[in-house]
Amino acid sequence: MNITRIRPLPRRDGTTPALPSTRAAVMSLRPDIPMLCLRPAKACREAARFVAAFPGHVLYAVKCNPDEAVLRALAAGGIRHFDAASISEVRLVRRLFPDAHIHFMHPVKARSAIREAYAQHGVRDFVLDSPEELAKIVEETGHARDLRLMVRMALAKGEARLDLSGKFGAPAQTTVALLRDCAAVAKTGLAFHVGSQCCDPTAWERALAQADTIIRTAGIDLDVLDVGGGFPVSYPDMRPPPLGAFMAAIRRGVARMALPAGCTLWCEPGRALVAACQSLVVQVQGRRGDMLFINDGVYGTLSDAGALGFCYPCRLIKAAGASHGALHPFGFYGPTCDSLDRMEGPFPLPDDIAEGDWIEIGQMGAYGACLRTEFNGFDHILRVEVGEPATGHAMEHKTTDHRAA
Ligand SMILES: *Cc1c(COP(=O)(O)O)cnc(C)c1O
């Protein structure tokens, strides 16, 4: 992918200048290609908050945002464990953090990936959801005696925005058999994933009740219970309960179980740690009624705004003059020639928005830039680091935000 990273120039005395605001970055660069605005301090704070709230190890799900600056910011916030799903993610984390714990949490892995992760990167934790994968891991690690094998159990389809139960996870009976087989050769854990952007804390309580039955039936000494990811963030059309409600539900669910004294809890958040640390600035290149043609779309950073219909918070950055428009619901067309490159929103923006204006789209740190493609030649993107806004939520609409500085 074609990313131009723009760093603040060091001052003459060698000190680094304060990071610019998004508006200042837009006004100096006047970008006509999409511009990612990264707030490393925000990622660091969210990581610290999550690590403090969760009663166990917090594994960051690397796929959600593998940007090196984001990974470093999360590590600065206290993340020491990483959930990797491919050998490239394993290599990336190992290169950046020689001492980090890497957990290979994809239930169906390439044999070469298992071999390399074990032999070259010190990975000892592998997830599986089938007897075939168990055999593969045992073979490719040379019957290693120092493994921790995690069995992923299936959950019934829940309330999450993105259901993940269809593809991975063993049914209850298979999970019981796999736990016993794993316990015969390794330390053993149980994992589940309630689905991404799951706004219902009781989903974890129900999953934990299901896990409890399975663990009792298997009759094994469980080393790790992994409650997965899926912790939600706020979008304009979705205001989930605060993080504390999810932590309380997990504590309640765990308290009802009879876990062995030494059993450790893990979780695997992606979205919750990084959604807020990145925004995206797009430019309006044409307007047709309520539809704005913008320079990024579903084949670029805005994949989830397409078929999945995610609404993101938006604010106008006028190219010239001040905006006096009232908010109006707009939809977006992306830059490619494909008619699927369309985002319904609604994205409320001042009704005097015009060609040449910019829109800052918030909550773009999760499943944004990492899903970009090169389709139709719209592959180039700028990336800047920006300072955090002084107050409140970066993207809540405030009338003053629409005035040109
Ligand atoms: C994607 C994924 C995660 C992260 O999910 P979020 O919804 O971003 O928290 C965690 N674990 C597994 C196994 C995943 O596939």
Side-chain angles (χ1 to χ4, degrees), residues 60 62 66-76 79-82 89-102 121:
Y60 170 61
V62 176
D67 185 306
E68 290 190 19
V70 170
L71 293 172
R72 287 185 206 282
L74 294 173
I79 296 291
R80 298 287 175 269
H81 297 257
F82 295 86
E89 289 182 355
V90 171
R91 290 176 192 149
L92 168 66
V93 174
R94 186 50 82 223
R95 176 165 62 76
L96 296 182
F97 312 113
D99 300 326
H101 302 270
I102 305 178
H121 307 294

Side-chain angles (χ1 to χ4, degrees), residues 238-259:
M238 269 186 280
R239 303 283 178 193
L243 183 63
F246 295 86
M247 296 301 147
I250 290 169
R251 285 174 195 274
R252 274 197 305 276
V254 168
R256 286 190 209 109
M257 303 173 72
L259 292 175

Side-chain angles (χ1 to χ4, degrees), residues 59-64 83 85 105-107 127 152 162 164 168 192-193 195-198 226 228-232 267-274 366-367:
L59 285 55
Y60 170 61
V62 176
K63 74 168 188 284
C64 188
D83 160 359
M105 301 305 281
H106 192 303
V127 80
R152 169 109 169 239
L162 276 90
L164 298 176
F168 297 125
F192 58 80
H193 198 302
S196 200
Q197 184 66 13
C198 177
D226 178 353
F231 302 93
C267 66
E268 308 167 353
R271 185 188 306 276
L273 298 189
V274 296
Y367 308 109

